[in-house]
Amino acid sequence: TLVGNHSTSGWENKKKKARKEVEDIAHELLQIQANRKSALRTPYRFDDIEYQKFAEEFPYEETPDQTKAIELIVEDMTQNVKYMDRIVCGDVGFGKTEIAMRAALIAALGGVQVAVLAPTTILVEQHFKTFSERFQNFPILIEKLNRFTPQKQVDNIIERLQNGSLDIIIGTHKLLSSQIKIKNLGLLIIDEEQRFGVKQKEKLKKY
């Protein structure tokens, strides 16, 4: 048996509050997107020799779809004056992480910082290992941030993000903390974006 009285003033007040919050979020999202569409950016400039060296160290042959995705993203980042918004879709083994790392390299060589947001600690650990191995021959500084990161190390990472001395940060929801201030965020990579709420994703877009 389910008994409820939805006519009480308390219920009506809760509905009004929820409706107001939804309207506020919608307005904020529209404003963020409008600002992004109207804003202009300077295309990233990078050392093509370094980029080719990185690409050649990829131990596999790119698939046609992978190559096309990389070309479009490189064009967006190096020629387009509009902010980039792209979704890379593919099954496990498609090579999405390599595409993300090519973009991260361009951003880092272009003098801006990169944030990689993942929904779980396991994914953060996997990405940190993969990124660290791929970037080991390049002067790119990478750190990870999750609930197991010691506080002393967290404080150091926060400081380096704020002063711009850290190139790539890979983390969980901790990247959304009010403590985190990234001085010059130039690329945001979201893994499994469907596992994040709208407000969480839009918070980073405000940078």
Side-chain angles (χ1 to χ4, degrees), residues 15-160:
K15 287 200 298 182
K16 287 180 181 178
K17 182 180 179 182
R19 186 179 298 112
K20 176 68 165 55
E21 289 178 352
V22 170
E23 290 174 351
D24 288 345
I25 292 173
H27 176 76
E28 184 179 13
L29 298 185
L30 288 172
Q31 190 61 53
I32 290 173
Q33 287 303 110
N35 290 341
R36 283 173 60 79
K37 284 187 176 297
S38 62
L40 300 178
R41 54 173 285 274
T42 302
Y44 297 145
R45 297 287 176 258
F46 66 98
D47 188 330
D48 188 60
I49 294 178
E50 286 290 285
Y51 178 81
Q52 290 302 323
K53 176 184 174 184
F54 186 86
E56 289 170 3
E57 289 184 1
F58 183 49
Y60 309 101
E61 183 177 351
E62 295 90 346
T63 67
D65 285 342
Q66 195 178 29
T67 299
K68 183 63 175 178
I70 292 171
E71 290 174 350
L72 289 172
I73 290 172
V74 170
E75 181 180 343
D76 271 350
M77 297 181 70
T78 62
Q79 299 181 35
N80 202 336
V81 295
K82 292 288 187 178
Y83 284 93
M84 177 177 71
D85 280 306
R86 283 196 177 273
I87 298 177
V88 179
C89 300
D91 294 331
V92 174
F94 169 79
K96 299 183 295 294
T97 303
E98 177 65 20
I99 295 172
M101 289 190 292
R102 301 279 181 100
L105 176 70
I106 290 173
L109 292 177
V112 296
Q113 293 166 287
V114 179
V116 182
L117 183 62
T120 67
T121 297
I122 292 177
L123 272 174
V124 167
E125 293 291 340
Q126 289 177 349
H127 286 319
F128 180 72
K129 182 176 183 295
T130 302
F131 271 67
S132 297
E133 290 174 351
R134 279 291 275 125
F135 284 90
Q136 63 182 339
N137 297 324
F138 298 82
I140 306 296
L141 301 178
I142 306 170
E143 290 285 1
K144 63 180 178 180
L145 193 60
N146 57 48
R147 61 193 175 94
F148 295 123
T149 308
Q151 189 56 48
K152 185 175 181 180
Q153 188 176 347
V154 170
D155 294 339
N156 176 263
I157 289 173
I158 289 175
E159 181 181 353
R160 292 163 66 197

Side-chain angles (χ1 to χ4, degrees), residues 173-185:
H173 296 76
K174 287 185 73 72
L175 288 180
L176 301 172
S177 166
S178 58
Q179 293 180 294
I180 305 298
K181 307 292 182 185
I182 304 177
K183 181 180 181 180
N184 192 21
L185 181 63

